[in-house]
Amino acid sequence: MRVQLRHLAHVRSGDKGNTALISVIAYSDPLFEILCEQLTPEAFKAHYRGAITGEVTRHRLDNLGALQFVCEGALGGGVSRSLAMDNFGKALCSAVLGFEVEAPDRMRNLLVNLAEPAAG
Amino acid sequence: MKSIRIGSGSAWMGDRVEPARWSADRGALDYMCFETMAEVTISMAQVRKAEDPNAIGWDPYLDDRMEAVLPGCLKAGTRIVSNQGWVDPEGAADRVRWHLRKLGATGKKVACVTGGVVTDRMDRCGPILETGADPTGFGDALLSAEAYLGAEPIARALGMGADIVITGRCADPALFLGPMLHEFGWTPDDLDRLGAGAAIGHLMECAAQITGGYFSDPGFKDVPEPWNLGFPIADVTEDGACVLGKLEGTGGRISLGSVKEQMLYEVHDPRAYVTPDVVVDFSTAKLTELNDGRVRIEGVTGKPRPERLKVSIGCREGYIGEDMFLYAGPGALDRARLAKRILEERFRIVGLKADEVRIDFVGYNSVHGAATPADAPEPYEVAVRVAARTQTYAEAFKVGREVDGMAVSGVAMTGKRGGHRQRVREVVGVWSAMIDRDAVAPEITMLEV
């Protein structure tokens, strides 16, 4: 089944200069495996469609079930000189909640807040 | 095993004051630590001082915070560590002493940590990290340059008997690590304990961000009473492990999820989070949710501290002019698009000299920009928000003047934003560099009541 990442993980943005730091934290270990496989740095950057102008580096933390994405050139030249209203990029992470992943049907019960399929 | 209890007092300058009062009154704390500085804090304080020499150089909420927590801290014997000194730690420490006297306290010591300002030593800095530029090349544009001090001067001040320690710029985790160094006598080669202690500081310095603040996402991550969050309290043992909790009766919840989010927050490399005192490795951390609603953290490790200290540099970089106006109802987005076109043509006609111009549709693409999905639905309401970065005030002022023109010369059904507000602001650019440790000598001054 294809589902949005928001059912597998929660996210948080941080900032340092012109670099956005986006944490993607799986709700459980089996879901983390799916993310490690499908949310590659390349796929992550492509999902942001040009909003990240520099390199994307991914750090994998098995002990936390989390991926940390270091996104260079994502904050309009830096927090202080950015013309963006959200100059810290605090809400930037929420875009990845819409990233689509392929999850096996047997993991349906691990997905968080997934609407029940319509009856019939 | 010896243990101490540390409470967070604030996560930033604008943070709520009430939860700190609750922790001071009822938390049985040994220490309460306040973090109030952002990267631009010092530079903005310098800009205010340039405009008004009488402007205070410390946290404008210093009085509110001290009035809230000092009675409880004095009663419980809680010592305070705070970076509310900003550009004037001496002035802030003197003000704290004034508060102590007002409360009738005697035999108390307020320490002030200075020595981080390096504006006269730019030649001891390495190249600007972001650009590779010469650190001495800012000229008159330079507003501020301060080294991030570590935990050592804070521990030293506590060792001298300080009840309250006021600092300027220091690394946020150091505010919490200072008391641990003082209480547990950790030495520079206790790398894993230093790493664990700095990690606790990193988790605590954003206060409610670990007790359920900045965490709620309805249906996915629900938080009880998110309007009533308590600040975190850490019980730290001398082996570097800790249990994070909060006061009974406060809202929010500490969970594995909230701890993980905060652990990775603003961290470049989770295996090498650099602080002045130690390089922290979070990849060895072990988190356990206890059945009393607290979370235990252990196993964080450390690597040797960096050879040099990081310096935060602020400089004047021109101006930003900005304004906003509104559309709603059927066709709102089309009208916004035409308004954008008109503004772009107007900026050309009036010869706006800008380094960058940005026109967004709030409600549609202003937050995610290029990452907005191509099939994003049309919003019912749209605000057109325009901003330009310029070298001069006069050029930045043109942005608002052209938005004024949209009132009667623009598109049908344009809504004006109510209330006149400042439409031009100065840009303070923030850069960083590394400086030799021997170019920075932290000093401690003690005031007594």
Side-chain angles (χ1 to χ4, degrees):
Chain A
M1 61 193 292
R2 283 194 85 71
V3 288
Q4 289 191 324
L5 179 140
R6 66 189 309 216
H7 301 289
L8 287 79
H10 53 108
V11 300
R12 165 96 69 98
S13 291
D15 64 277
K16 279 287 174 241
N18 196 21
T19 302
L21 304 154
I22 298 180
S23 314
V24 178
I25 301 162
Y27 285 114
S28 61
D29 287 342
L31 299 178
F32 180 57
E33 289 306 318
I34 296 177
L35 294 177
C36 290
E37 207 174 285
Q38 298 181 37
L39 192 61
T40 61
E42 297 75 25
F44 186 95
K45 185 172 172 175
H47 183 75
Y48 276 85
R49 293 179 194 82
I52 300 168
T53 59
E55 210 173 313
V56 172
T57 309
R58 186 181 92 166
H59 296 281
R60 174 179 169 154
L61 288 131
D62 290 329
N63 62 323
L64 304 179
L67 297 172
Q68 181 84 330
F69 292 88
V70 180
C71 313
E72 293 172 27
L75 296 179
V79 168
S80 55
R81 61 189 73 82
S82 168
L83 293 181
M85 289 213 298
D86 179 19
N87 59 329
F88 285 87
K90 293 276 189 185
L92 198 61
C93 58
S94 53
V96 81
L97 292 178
F99 182 84
E100 288 201 346
V101 297
E102 184 64 39
D105 285 342
R106 63 188 156 77
M107 289 194 187
R108 167 175 279 276
N109 62 343
L110 294 176
L111 299 173
V112 172
N113 203 26
L114 191 68
E116 289 299 316
Chain B
M1 197 173 357
K2 184 173 178 180
S3 98
I4 57 170
R5 172 171 285 190
I6 309 178
S8 294
S10 60
W12 70 293
M13 181 265 283
D15 208 348
R16 291 181 192 154
V17 173
E18 230 16 55
R21 184 202 304 271
W22 303 334
S23 289
D25 286 348
R26 300 194 276 125
L29 303 179
D30 297 306
Y31 290 89
M32 174 169 262
C33 304
F34 292 85
E35 201 293 283
T36 62
M37 290 175 71
E39 281 187 308
V40 295
T41 299
I42 294 268
S43 301
M44 293 310 291
Q46 298 290 17
V47 168
R48 282 194 296 276
K49 264 216 142 46
E51 286 166 1
D52 172 12
N54 296 319
I56 58 160
W58 59 81
D59 174 13
Y61 297 115
L62 180 76
D63 286 347
D64 287 3
R65 298 207 149 94
M66 288 302 142
E67 278 166 12
V69 305
L70 278 179
C73 287
L74 287 170
K75 202 167 166 195
T78 303
R79 299 164 91 177
I80 293 172
V81 179
S82 170
N83 68 3
Q84 286 167 286
W86 293 13
V87 295
D88 185 8
E90 295 97 332
D94 192 51
R95 184 70 182 170
V96 171
R97 178 166 62 175
W98 179 86
H99 279 283
L100 287 169
R101 282 182 175 146
K102 196 172 141 203
L103 289 167
T106 53
K108 296 291 171 188
K109 290 182 177 177
V110 183
C112 157
V113 177
T114 54
V117 177
V118 297
T119 33
D120 59 348
R121 270 155 279 169
M122 296 303 286
D123 57 331
R124 300 293 305 275
C125 293
I128 301 303
L129 294 178
E130 294 85 355
T131 61
D134 178 355
T136 64
F138 288 102
D140 291 344
L142 183 69
L143 281 166
S144 62
E146 328 86 42
Y148 284 87
L149 301 180
E152 186 278 329
I154 295 169
R156 185 150 41 103
L158 294 169
M160 290 162 68
D163 299 285
I164 298 172
V165 181
I166 302 290
T167 75
R169 177 77 74 193
C170 61
D172 297 344
L175 297 165
F176 296 82
L177 184 58
M180 297 178 217
L181 292 189
H182 168 66
E183 293 283 345
F184 301 138
W186 294 341
T187 57
D189 55 358
D190 280 336
L191 291 176
D192 288 343
R193 281 181 282 191
L194 290 177
I200 295 164
H202 171 69
L203 291 171
M204 294 286 285
E205 61 110 339
C206 284
Q209 276 196 179
I210 203 163
T211 55
Y214 208 68
F215 191 75
S216 303
D217 191 4
F220 291 87
K221 297 185 293 171
D222 291 306
V223 171
E225 289 186 59
W227 45 84
N228 192 29
L229 300 174
F231 282 174
I233 293 171
D235 286 304
V236 185
T237 46
E238 63 185 323
D239 59 356
C242 93
V243 176
L244 290 176
K246 63 180 186 66
L247 286 179
E248 290 266 338
T250 58
R253 175 160 55 220
I254 298 180
S255 61
L256 291 182
S258 71
V259 174
K260 288 175 184 178
E261 284 195 17
Q262 186 57 31
M263 190 169 268
L264 295 174
Y265 181 59
E266 294 184 332
V267 170
H268 258 108
D269 181 350
R271 287 174 183 79
Y273 176 62
V274 182
T275 80
D277 303 291
V278 63
V279 174
V280 183
D281 183 352
F282 292 112
S283 72
T284 54
K286 192 180 151 220
L287 315 181
T288 317
E289 219 160 37
L290 306 180
N291 51 21
D292 60 3
R294 298 186 301 163
V295 171
R296 181 175 165 80
I297 294 138
E298 58 202 319
V300 178
T301 50
K303 300 167 192 169
R305 69 183 199 181
E307 264 180 47
R308 303 208 285 174
L309 293 174
K310 186 177 163 185
V311 174
S312 177
I313 301 162
C315 66
R316 294 182 192 271
E317 272 187 16
Y319 298 85
I320 287 177
E322 61 183 324
D323 207 345
M324 192 187 283
F325 49 96
L326 313 162
Y327 296 99
L333 192 58
D334 285 339
R335 288 191 289 283
R337 286 187 171 123
L338 176 57
K340 179 180 181 208
R341 172 80 201 287
I342 293 173
L343 277 178
E344 286 166 348
E345 292 296 333
R346 289 297 308 167
F347 288 154
R348 191 179 54 76
I349 291 165
V350 301
L352 175 69
K353 290 184 202 62
D355 299 330
E356 189 186 352
V357 177
R358 177 169 171 154
I359 302 176
D360 287 327
F361 303 138
V362 181
Y364 184 65
N365 67 0
S366 66
V367 180
H368 285 165
T372 305
D375 59 352
E378 267 202 32
Y380 185 78
E381 296 187 356
V382 188
V384 176
R385 189 264 187 172
V386 52
R389 197 173 56 251
T390 66
Q391 292 299 316
T392 66
Y393 184 94
E395 289 299 314
F397 194 73
K398 286 180 181 173
V399 173
R401 291 295 292 130
E402 286 310 314
V403 168
D404 289 340
M406 298 299 286
V408 294
S409 309
V411 179
M413 297 168 276
T414 299
K416 264 167 67 170
R417 184 166 60 154
H420 257 285
R421 51 188 78 197
Q422 198 182 346
R423 300 191 293 188
V424 178
R425 59 186 158 92
E426 187 158 7
V427 178
V428 172
V430 176
W431 304 99
S432 39
M434 303 303 284
I435 194 167
D436 297 328
R437 281 184 185 262
D438 65 7
V440 181
E443 285 172 32
I444 293 159
T445 317
M446 199 69 83
L447 307 180
E448 301 192 16
V449 183

